[in-house]
Amino acid sequence: MQKLVSAFFMTATIIVAGCTPAEREAARLPCWSFSQEMIFPADRALMRPEDGVALPDGRLLVADQLYGLRLLEADGSSRPFGQFAEAGYLHSPPEIVGGANGVTLEPGGAHVLVSDVFRGGIYQVDVATESTDRIYQHSYGVNMARRDRRGGVWFTQSTRNSRERGEEELFRAVAVAVSDGGIFYLPPSLHEGDDAARQLVDGLYFANGIALDEAAGYLYVAETTGSRVLRFKMDAATGQVGDRVTALEVNHPDNLELDGRDRLWIASPLRGEIVVFDLATQTVESVIRISTPESERLIETIEARVRIGEPWLDLMAPELWEPAPGLITGMILQPDGRSIYLTGLGNALIELKR
């Protein structure tokens, strides 16, 4: 059931992966080597910044488990953003565990969508006023939601994790693969409280990040425990998908982002890696990988357990992601290309400067 990643990704063990000068010169994309100076903000004041977006002025909006969303300034200072509590978002452990997760910018840039992967809410935040509305409440957790140019919202359900036990049931589906993930669609006419989500795809192994290539008419979704990125033909006018194919095999892919050059950026948390898939040439490049001998040994053990269907979450320890501030789950691509920020499950981002 679990596919092994292709040989391209099975690189040799190194202390902190990077590029030689010759490789750097030949690469079509930058290739970074990790250093502690890349950690942003330096005070590590974030709380589970799993995903985020860049605003036109360079500031960032990142997921925040306590407040829903956090505004991050260029100098590293930050504050809560939006009115999530008024909209029904809660994080009061251990009774209630909020899971602000996917963060996407709507077409036009006036609003942001934030998904709760533990409790199933989809929240819309006005960037100018910070007013926040819960536009949909799903029966299970919502990993990521994206709005298309026609107003429809496409979102992923990773597993059937309930609001009451959302965190526990979500990670249970990470530990041992189950095929109860799916892709859903909300029509443009959705009103708060409507039970209008239409399931388009079922039987996925932990549906995760989602990307819409409306120009080409494709939808991409990361199937985490299936270790692959799937591509579907997408009809935005009718809210339908079809013609499913495996676009790429990647070790436990997480968030996806399309850039302006027809390239799909893919986060691979267990490997501490970002790979970029050129959709036009069908070529793949690794732009950063953070690896240590300890993490390599853990990855090898995890993959052995995955192959035989045994749980592995007891191996999710700091040795798996250090020296990074946490598992890398995604990336924020600034429109001007000045910097790329890696998001994750820790307390800070990683800034990759061009």
Side-chain angles (χ1 to χ4, degrees), residues 190-214:
L190 177 74
H191 298 288
E192 201 279 331
D194 287 352
D195 187 16
R198 184 169 73 247
Q199 185 162 11
L200 306 179
V201 181
D202 61 6
L204 298 184
Y205 288 93
F206 207 93
N208 203 320
I210 191 169
L212 308 180
D213 187 352
E214 294 188 63

Side-chain angles (χ1 to χ4, degrees), residues 175-254:
V176 178
V178 292
S179 58
D180 61 355
I183 302 172
F184 292 76
Y185 175 77
L186 297 170
S189 58
L190 177 74
H191 298 288
E192 201 279 331
D194 287 352
D195 187 16
R198 184 169 73 247
Q199 185 162 11
L200 306 179
V201 181
D202 61 6
L204 298 184
Y205 288 93
F206 207 93
N208 203 320
I210 191 169
L212 308 180
D213 187 352
E214 294 188 63
Y218 290 118
L219 178 151
Y220 294 87
V221 63
E223 195 180 19
T224 301
T225 57
S227 281
R228 58 192 172 184
V229 175
L230 302 177
R231 189 192 74 187
F232 295 85
K233 192 65 179 175
M234 165 190 170
D235 188 339
T238 62
Q240 299 287 349
V241 296
D243 299 333
R244 164 178 166 169
V245 300
T246 296
L248 190 68
E249 292 186 355
V250 182
N251 184 286
H252 281 71
D254 202 308

Side-chain angles (χ1 to χ4, degrees), residues 15-216:
I15 297 301
V16 177
C19 306
T20 67
E23 289 171 335
R24 192 181 300 274
E25 180 66 23
R28 293 184 298 109
L29 284 161
C31 193
W32 292 272
S33 296
F34 177 80
S35 67
Q36 290 293 322
E37 290 73 23
M38 292 177 172
I39 294 178
F40 179 79
D43 64 2
R44 300 181 180 233
L46 306 183
M47 186 173 182
R48 198 181 180 274
E50 203 275 349
D51 195 18
V53 296
L55 299 178
D57 59 9
R59 296 181 300 168
L60 307 177
L61 291 174
V62 297
D64 182 279
Q65 188 169 28
L66 180 59
Y67 295 106
L69 202 60
R70 181 167 286 272
L71 179 68
L72 188 54
E73 302 281 355
D75 64 2
S77 61
S78 67
R79 66 169 178 82
F81 189 92
Q83 300 162 5
F84 280 81
E86 292 87 337
Y89 177 83
L90 294 173
H91 178 64
S92 180
E95 293 82 8
I96 298 174
V97 179
N101 201 73
V103 181
T104 60
L105 199 62
E106 292 193 359
H111 296 90
V112 168
L113 292 180
V114 179
S115 307
D116 189 332
V117 75
F118 295 153
R119 295 176 57 79
I122 300 178
Y123 299 86
Q124 183 186 55
V125 186
D126 188 301
V127 174
T129 67
E130 302 189 37
S131 64
T132 304
D133 296 300
R134 185 172 58 191
I135 63 170
Y136 188 71
Q137 178 60 54
H138 192 51
S139 299
Y140 305 107
V142 175
N143 194 302
M144 177 176 283
R146 289 193 186 271
R147 191 181 296 276
D148 65 37
R149 293 189 181 93
R150 293 174 176 265
V153 175
W154 311 71
F155 70 88
T156 52
Q157 168 194 296
S158 295
T159 187
R160 293 189 184 125
N161 58 324
S162 64
R163 297 181 70 184
E164 296 74 23
R165 301 173 61 190
E167 182 179 35
E168 174 190 348
E169 293 172 347
L170 182 91
F171 280 102
R172 185 172 62 195
V174 174
V176 178
V178 292
S179 58
D180 61 355
I183 302 172
F184 292 76
Y185 175 77
L186 297 170
S189 58
L190 177 74
H191 298 288
E192 201 279 331
D194 287 352
D195 187 16
R198 184 169 73 247
Q199 185 162 11
L200 306 179
V201 181
D202 61 6
L204 298 184
Y205 288 93
F206 207 93
N208 203 320
I210 191 169
L212 308 180
D213 187 352
E214 294 188 63

Side-chain angles (χ1 to χ4, degrees), residues 310-327:
E310 286 190 359
W312 58 268
L313 286 186
D314 58 301
L315 301 177
M316 189 179 285
E319 290 78 14
L320 184 60
W321 58 78
E322 289 179 343
L327 287 176

